[in-house]
Amino acid sequence: MSVIQQYLEKCKSILETVQAQESQIAIAASWFAQSILAGRMVHVFGSGHSRIMVEEMWPRYGSFAGFNPIVELSLTFHNLVVGANGQRQAMFLENVPGFADRILRNFDLSAQDTALVISSSGTNIVPVEMAEIFQKKGIKVVALVTSLHSEASTSKRADGKKLTDFADLILDTGAPVGDAMVHIPALDTPVAPGSTVGGATVINCLKAETARLLTEAGQPPKVLSATAVVGPQRAVELFEGAYDEHAHRIAKMYQKVGIPSYVSDHAE
């Protein structure tokens, strides 16, 4: 079997793992739909490579408003690899206690919200603390992890707790321990990770089921759609409508945050 075939076969196994979680995905989507129908948001957070899953949820073609993509650049912008804004700093910062609290201080959270926290290992401090804070606020937390990898990994927290310890529901990317899936002769380390494949599949299953529930509830989402599919006028209408809806939803997250002011006191 070629290494390409190896990877594709591993991906088939990942898809089977995701398929086996259909009932759990449906539950998570029902929580998300409830938050969106209440005019609130689903907070989506991931540091490092998990940022990809956050942006896969929203905003992109085939997605819709109702999700708050929390992407902290200091934890995710490491494209320079070394030097200023490099990977070393990002990996250090995602294990700084208290950073999650500083991030969430910017939002007026509500128990009507829900959260999706993504971390393949589920052991870095910032995503774990994010989930912990969400739960303390009465917010249901869905954790997306690589179960086998998380179980084999050691938490960076002093108390040993992982993301899964602060989750109301756990979803699995289906990738193996260490993530990389292909073994090449004469190379002593595997290559080609699989968590992105499984993670993106889970994300889009969640998205599809949430859209179905919103539509059945009489509030079909404004889905970002390509001109080639819906025509130029409809595409513009959907883009503008979806972005405006996001603005209206996110405004609620800032309207009464933190210390009251005469502005927040007069908010309708």
Side-chain angles (χ1 to χ4, degrees), residues 9 28 36 39 41 50 62 73 77 111 115-116 135 150 153 191 212 224 227 243:
E9 286 300 314
I36 294 171
M41 301 189 86
S50 295
L73 290 181
F77 180 71
L116 173 62
Q135 278 201 334
S150 182
S153 302
V191 298
R212 183 188 71 80
L224 301 180
T227 298
Y243 290 154

Side-chain angles (χ1 to χ4, degrees), residues 244-266:
D244 286 343
E245 180 182 330
H246 179 83
H248 302 155
R249 289 180 182 276
I250 201 68
K252 293 182 180 181
M253 301 295 158
Y254 302 137
Q255 195 170 38
K256 295 185 178 181
V257 67
I259 301 169
S261 67
Y262 76 93
V263 179
S264 58
D265 291 341
H266 287 83

Side-chain angles (χ1 to χ4, degrees), residues 5-16:
Q5 291 172 334
Q6 277 188 56
Y7 187 78
L8 294 175
E9 286 300 314
K10 296 285 186 180
C11 285
K12 290 178 184 178
S13 177
I14 282 176
L15 293 178
E16 291 173 357

Side-chain angles (χ1 to χ4, degrees), residues 139-205:
I139 294 170
K140 286 188 176 69
V141 175
V142 177
L144 176 55
V145 300
T146 299
S147 293
L148 291 175
H149 184 57
S150 182
E151 290 166 5
S153 302
T154 302
S155 174
K156 309 298 194 305
R157 279 174 54 126
D159 62 6
K161 290 189 175 182
K162 302 178 182 180
L163 174 55
T164 50
D165 291 308
F166 299 103
D168 298 281
L169 190 149
I170 300 167
L171 298 175
D172 179 17
T173 71
V177 176
D179 210 349
M181 303 196 298
V182 175
H183 294 271
I184 297 174
L187 179 62
D188 64 351
T189 51
V191 298
S195 63
T196 306
V197 175
T201 302
V202 170
I203 290 293
N204 285 293
C205 287

Side-chain angles (χ1 to χ4, degrees), residues 9-253:
E9 286 300 314
K10 296 285 186 180
C11 285
K12 290 178 184 178
S13 177
I14 282 176
L15 293 178
E16 291 173 357
T17 298
V18 174
Q19 185 175 21
Q21 300 172 82
E22 183 176 354
S23 61
Q24 295 99 307
I25 292 171
I27 292 170
S30 71
W31 294 349
F32 295 171
Q34 289 169 26
S35 292
I36 294 171
L37 288 169
R40 298 294 301 184
M41 301 189 86
V42 181
H43 304 286
V44 188
F45 177 81
S47 62
H49 185 75
S50 295
R51 170 183 177 163
I52 291 175
M53 299 304 108
V54 178
E55 295 182 348
E56 182 68 18
M57 184 64 88
W58 163 262
R60 60 151 301 160
Y61 278 119
S63 63
F64 49 89
F67 299 92
N68 177 24
I70 303 176
V71 174
E72 191 70 21
L73 290 181
S74 60
L75 302 174
T76 60
F77 180 71
H78 41 246
N79 298 26
L80 298 176
V81 185
V82 297
N85 301 300
Q87 176 75 336
R88 292 186 179 94
Q89 299 93 299
M91 293 178 69
F92 175 83
L93 289 173
E94 69 179 349
N95 283 299
V96 173
F99 199 179
D101 181 67
R102 289 293 82 198
I103 297 170
L104 292 181
R105 169 62 177 79
N106 293 287
F107 302 103
D108 181 21
L109 301 175
S110 164
Q112 288 185 305
D113 302 339
T114 42
L116 173 62
V117 181
I118 305 138
S119 172
S120 190
S121 72
T123 61
N124 289 319
I125 288 175
V126 174
V128 176
E129 286 190 353
M130 292 287 281
E132 183 178 20
I133 294 168
F134 282 133
Q135 278 201 334
K136 286 180 179 178
K137 297 286 187 178
I139 294 170
K140 286 188 176 69
V141 175
V142 177
L144 176 55
V145 300
T146 299
S147 293
L148 291 175
H149 184 57
S150 182
E151 290 166 5
S153 302
T154 302
S155 174
K156 309 298 194 305
R157 279 174 54 126
D159 62 6
K161 290 189 175 182
K162 302 178 182 180
L163 174 55
T164 50
D165 291 308
F166 299 103
D168 298 281
L169 190 149
I170 300 167
L171 298 175
D172 179 17
T173 71
V177 176
D179 210 349
M181 303 196 298
V182 175
H183 294 271
I184 297 174
L187 179 62
D188 64 351
T189 51
V191 298
S195 63
T196 306
V197 175
T201 302
V202 170
I203 290 293
N204 285 293
C205 287
L206 288 166
K207 190 186 303 178
E209 179 64 6
T210 302
R212 183 188 71 80
L213 293 169
L214 294 176
T215 302
E216 287 192 354
Q219 296 294 334
K222 300 177 182 69
V223 181
L224 301 180
S225 302
T227 298
V229 176
V230 298
Q233 182 176 345
R234 179 63 172 152
V236 170
E237 291 173 352
L238 288 168
F239 269 80
E240 294 296 340
Y243 290 154
D244 286 343
E245 180 182 330
H246 179 83
H248 302 155
R249 289 180 182 276
I250 201 68
K252 293 182 180 181
M253 301 295 158

